[in-house]
Amino acid sequence: QQQVKQSPQSLIVQKGGISIINCAYENTAFDYFPWYQQFPGKGPALLIAIRPDVSEKKEGRFTISFNKSAKQFSLHIMDSQPGDSATYFCAASRDGTASKLTFGTGTRLQVTL
Amino acid sequence: DSGVTQTPKHLITATGQRVTLRCSPRSGDLSVYWYQQSLDQGLQFLIHYYNGEERAKGNILERFSAQQFPDLHSELNLSSLELGDSALYFCASSTSWGIGEKLFFGSGTQLSVL
């Protein structure tokens, strides 16, 4: 049973555009929702994370929007740059910790010039 | 560079064999996590150690085992290898274990079972 569904599988955005990646979860016990960025040949790196007590969190060009009632959260990358081209994973876990993170299937983002 | 070191980077072996993957966490990090990344299953949590003790288990097969040593490095042992075990194995570490915990991933060990 896939507990975190991520879409789209791949995304092509022009430089300067907005990239939007969506995730939906099933387990209402999840209370920690991080996003990870992975470049080829590297391990995932934490990008930004949110707890369900807020509906939005912004760090630079990256924003997480969280909808608790719909059990959905999304990553918005404003002013997308070629250097943002990577695979992005959403994840979720219980107890606000990184233990036993359940990852989405990933979105391969390509930002073109 | 995350500060987490994994060796070897690549490993090619045959079915039925046994291999050991090694992970050195960031200096001072007490938690070590192992994840498996494959094309069909994505990133799957395997096991978590904190200061030498096993804290949580995920989808880890009985043929797989892990341990964390007193110097905090960790090893993941994979035995009776099957073709389906071919994957990228990541180790991650964190300073603590709790709310807001931040994981730092190594670059992974690419295991190919032929």
Side-chain angles (χ1 to χ4, degrees):
Chain A
Q1 180 186 12
Q2 184 184 355
Q3 296 192 54
V4 179
K5 294 183 180 180
Q6 183 171 348
S7 63
Q9 191 173 8
S10 62
L11 183 62
I12 299 175
V13 173
Q14 278 197 325
K15 178 182 176 181
I18 303 173
S19 303
I20 301 174
I21 304 170
N22 300 299
C23 282
Y25 62 97
E26 300 167 4
N27 190 342
T28 54
F30 285 151
D31 60 2
Y32 175 66
F33 303 91
W35 284 89
Y36 282 82
Q37 178 189 56
Q38 185 178 23
F39 293 104
K42 299 293 185 182
L46 180 65
L47 195 59
I48 187 172
I50 197 168
R51 299 288 308 277
D53 51 345
V54 296
S55 60
E56 186 175 281
K57 183 174 182 180
K58 184 176 181 179
E59 289 186 2
R61 296 184 294 108
F62 300 91
T63 299
I64 298 179
S65 296
F66 185 81
N67 186 328
K68 188 174 181 178
S69 61
K71 293 187 287 184
Q72 295 176 347
F73 59 110
S74 60
L75 176 69
H76 296 235
I77 306 175
M78 312 299 287
D79 187 27
S80 297
Q81 299 296 313
D84 297 330
S85 297
T87 300
Y88 292 81
F89 293 93
C90 62
S93 70
R94 301 174 58 172
D95 304 324
T97 73
S99 187
K100 302 180 85 171
L101 277 172
T102 298
F103 282 85
T105 50
T107 296
R108 183 171 292 185
L109 171 66
Q110 182 182 354
V111 181
T112 61
L113 294 172
Chain B
D1 184 10
S2 67
V4 178
T5 303
Q6 288 187 249
T7 57
K9 290 191 183 301
H10 303 276
L11 197 50
I12 301 174
T13 188
T15 54
Q17 294 299 304
R18 172 190 170 94
V19 297
T20 298
L21 312 184
R22 182 186 170 99
C23 169
S24 294
R26 295 186 322 151
S27 177
D29 282 1
L30 300 177
S31 269
V32 170
Y33 297 80
W34 286 97
Y35 281 84
Q36 179 193 58
Q37 186 175 39
S38 60
L39 288 176
D40 57 342
Q41 295 289 326
L43 266 165
Q44 298 277 319
F45 165 73
L46 295 178
I47 199 164
H48 169 213
Y49 278 86
Y50 179 79
N51 202 21
E53 292 187 11
E54 181 185 303
R55 288 297 184 176
K57 266 187 175 180
N59 300 318
I60 188 166
L61 300 172
E62 286 191 8
R63 299 183 286 108
F64 295 1
S65 64
Q67 59 184 130
Q68 186 179 26
F69 294 88
D71 67 352
L72 301 177
H73 91 272
S74 178
E75 292 181 355
L76 179 67
N77 300 295
L78 315 177
S79 61
S80 303
L81 285 168
E82 302 174 359
L83 295 177
D85 297 328
S86 296
L88 193 52
Y89 291 84
F90 285 109
C91 165
S93 74
S94 68
T95 302
S96 60
W97 175 41
I99 294 175
E101 181 180 7
K102 181 175 180 178
L103 291 188
F104 294 87
F105 281 81
S107 295
T109 293
Q110 179 69 59
L111 174 65
S112 298
V113 182
L114 306 179

